[in-house]
Amino acid sequence: MVTPTELNILVDTGSSNFAVAAAPHPFITHYFNTALSSSYQLTGRTVAVRYTQGNWEGELGIDRVSIPKGPNGTAVINIAAILSSEGFFLPKVNWQGILGLAYPMLARPDASVEPFFDSVVQQLGIPDVFSLQMCGAGLSASSTDDPAGGSLILGGAEPTLYRGPVWYTPIVEEWYYQVEVLKLEVGDQNLDLDCREYNMDKAIVDSGTTLLRLPINVFSAVVGAITRSSLIQEFSSGFWDGSKLACWMKGETPWRFFPKLSIYLRATNTSQSFRITILPQLYIQAVTDVDSPLDCFRFGLSSSTNGLVIGATVMEGFYVVFDRVQRRLGFALSNCAVNGGVALSEIAGPFSAADVASDCSSGAPKEPLLWVISYALMAVCGAVLVVLLLLLVLPCRRRDRFGEITDESSLVRHRIK
Ligand SMILES: *[C@@H]1O[C@H](CO)[C@@H](O)[C@H](O)[C@H]1NC(C)=O
Ligand SMILES: *[C@@H]1O[C@H](CO)[C@@H](O)[C@H](O)[C@H]1NC(C)=O
């Protein structure tokens, strides 16, 4: 009997390797000591993965895992032992590894390295479906503890974690979880761009990305529409580009000044769409660790040169079902996206898709030559017991908000009476 190593793992639907720290690093407190695992075997291959931020190198091995509270039995899975890294483990992150849940096409060094979930499905006979509830939204900036959590359900969906119907959108291409965005609305205002702009060069659902990232043209249009419809005209551009925070007097929550944001996704009946909506509580985000007498917030959207990314900012509003059997993603209202009895997200449909092109994703380059994912600043932390045990439901902590502007001189100040 080997004592299991307990590690926190970042759950990332935008990559496909399972990798854990296997050597000491100044920013992590513990790691997977492969020498202590009697079942760990080297394959003799090395692997290097580069993300938008950070990279790591290590060796590929295989090991056995079992999942308590889950399917019975153990599975032999690929596991990359991270031996060196740059900018990957960061100060204050509370995780020591990453679980890539995307398709084999994104696995490194190549698609022959079967991803973790593929192995579990094959060997333990569970349905090829997982679902993710990310919590942590809408907490008051003054809350000091980390009450939020999240769940990763392997093999299906857990009805107690969501409300109402699950709306499905087809997976356009099986590499990232690529979907088709038909329309964006700010408040009631349709941005009215050509729908191909929203999917330039792809639109994906990625739990490893913190923000809602939008192609540059789309981002500018959204910021313009928010500025026009919010009651605040004098925001410094630094707020929108993420270099500055906006601060209000303590207790003056700013959300009533901002509109809702809606994303229309292609429905499985392709002549229809449905709409997922987030309230400003999800995209005007409290930054807790600023040493200031004010309550400070950051903008939860950013511009992107490599596609639209539905990241944690949006995912925190929804229970998301990754139904790989039927090649579709499902969205339902998340039970944890509620603050003070107010739901922070909405879903509505069906709507006619007759007013948009029949294929808004056409023209997208299909090879993943640009291996860029932003695992970024988000940590869905799960207590994962490598070697022998792997928890099915991963409890997790609110995301670490490191890397934020903490220099008071750079804060935008708004005092609203
Ligand atoms: C796993 O095994 C236990 C004990 O044999 C049994 O009660 C349980 O139903 C099994 N679970 C699954 C998912 O097969
Ligand atoms: C798909 O949507 C169209 C347009 O709303 C509708 O006319 C049609 O009946 C729907 N098809 C199915 C199978 O529901």
Side-chain angles (χ1 to χ4, degrees):
M1 180 71 187
V2 178
T3 309
T5 314
E6 191 170 318
L7 298 173
N8 289 329
I9 304 295
L10 181 83
V11 173
D12 181 22
T13 63
S15 67
S16 302
N17 283 84
F18 178 37
V20 299
H25 185 282
F27 295 145
I28 58 175
T29 48
H30 47 298
Y31 62 94
F32 176 46
N33 188 342
T34 55
L36 298 182
S37 171
S38 54
S39 52
Y40 183 80
Q41 291 178 322
L42 283 173
T43 62
R45 295 178 80 185
T46 59
V47 56
V49 176
R50 177 172 298 279
Y51 304 88
T52 305
Q53 290 153 318
N55 62 75
W56 55 260
E57 284 179 29
E59 52 195 18
L60 281 177
I62 55 174
D63 206 345
R64 305 171 66 81
V65 297
S66 72
I67 307 174
K69 291 196 271 173
N72 288 326
T74 57
V76 177
I77 50 115
N78 288 302
I79 178 166
I82 300 176
L83 299 176
S84 66
S85 63
E86 275 176 76
F88 182 67
F89 300 113
L90 296 166
K92 291 204 275 176
V93 297
N94 187 31
W95 45 268
Q96 299 86 34
I98 184 167
L99 176 58
L101 290 169
Y103 288 99
M105 192 195 234
L106 298 185
R108 291 294 178 267
D110 59 56
S112 73
V113 180
E114 187 174 76
F116 173 89
F117 189 62
D118 293 75
S119 303
V120 168
V121 167
Q122 284 246 335
Q123 296 173 46
L124 302 186
I126 62 171
D128 195 7
V129 179
F130 67 90
S131 50
L132 200 47
Q133 180 194 49
M134 299 166 80
C135 302
L139 301 170
S140 84
S142 56
S143 88
T144 48
D145 52 357
D146 285 321
S151 300
L152 169 64
I153 307 295
L154 303 182
E158 172 49 54
T160 60
L161 300 178
Y162 63 89
R163 283 171 291 133
V166 183
W167 286 90
Y168 287 97
T169 186
I171 294 171
V172 172
E173 192 81 31
E174 295 161 305
W175 52 328
Y176 298 95
Y177 291 96
Q178 186 183 350
V179 295
E180 189 181 0
V181 173
L182 304 190
K183 197 155 81 168
L184 252 60
E185 280 176 0
V186 175
D188 295 331
Q189 187 189 342
N190 181 358
L191 286 191
D192 226 4
L193 299 175
D194 182 323
C195 72
R196 280 170 285 252
E197 298 245 27
Y198 304 128
N199 301 275
M200 192 82 71
D201 56 350
K202 59 185 171 292
I204 63 169
V205 176
D206 181 8
S207 66
T209 292
T210 312
L211 303 182
L212 169 58
R213 306 185 68 221
L214 301 172
I216 295 167
N217 284 347
V218 179
F219 181 75
S220 309
V222 167
V223 168
I226 294 177
T227 311
R228 281 191 300 279
S229 69
S230 80
L231 304 171
I232 298 164
Q233 305 293 327
E234 77 273 30
F235 264 106
S236 115
S237 61
F239 177 69
W240 307 114
D241 72 21
S243 63
K244 291 181 179 172
L245 302 176
C247 302
W248 278 264
M249 297 299 287
K250 281 237 183 294
E252 288 276 2
T253 57
W255 297 311
R256 60 204 155 99
F257 302 115
F258 293 90
K260 298 175 183 176
L261 296 184
S262 297
I263 300 171
Y264 287 73
L265 295 167
R266 177 83 67 189
T268 43
N269 177 343
T270 56
S271 50
Q272 296 181 332
S273 68
F274 66 94
R275 159 177 96 198
I276 58 175
T277 300
I278 56 170
L279 270 63
Q281 282 86 335
L282 288 174
Y283 75 86
I284 303 293
Q285 300 170 338
V287 175
T288 51
D289 40 57
V290 175
D291 183 20
S292 159
L294 304 169
D295 282 341
C296 295
F297 298 82
R298 72 164 177 197
F299 190 43
L301 278 59
S302 71
S303 69
S304 163
T305 54
N306 55 358
L308 183 149
V309 185
I310 296 176
T313 292
V314 176
M315 290 182 76
E316 285 181 347
F318 303 94
Y319 186 77
V320 186
V321 182
F322 294 77
D323 181 352
R324 298 156 36 124
V325 175
Q326 299 199 54
R327 205 176 152 153
R328 59 185 188 168
L329 292 192
F331 288 82
L333 294 176
S334 169
N335 273 344
C336 68
V338 175
N339 192 18
V342 180
L344 303 181
S345 57
E346 300 167 0
I347 299 192
F351 301 101
S352 167
D355 56 331
V356 298
S358 60
D359 184 2
C360 300
S361 304
S362 62
K366 296 302 185 205
E367 358 72 77
L369 277 182
L370 286 178
W371 169 249
V372 270
I373 72 151
S374 290
Y375 77 91
L377 310 176
M378 170 70 205
V380 174
C381 309
V384 173
L385 314 183
V386 183
V387 185
L388 294 171
L389 299 174
L390 197 81
L391 295 183
L392 182 61
V393 174
L394 308 178
C396 89
R397 293 186 42 223
R398 191 178 190 195
R399 68 167 151 248
D400 288 297
R401 291 198 158 109
F402 55 85
E404 291 302 333
I405 311 298
T406 52
D407 173 8
E408 270 225 51
S409 61
S410 66
L411 301 181
V412 187
R413 297 232 162 128
H414 281 276
R415 289 159 198 259
I416 302 199
K417 352 163 228 29

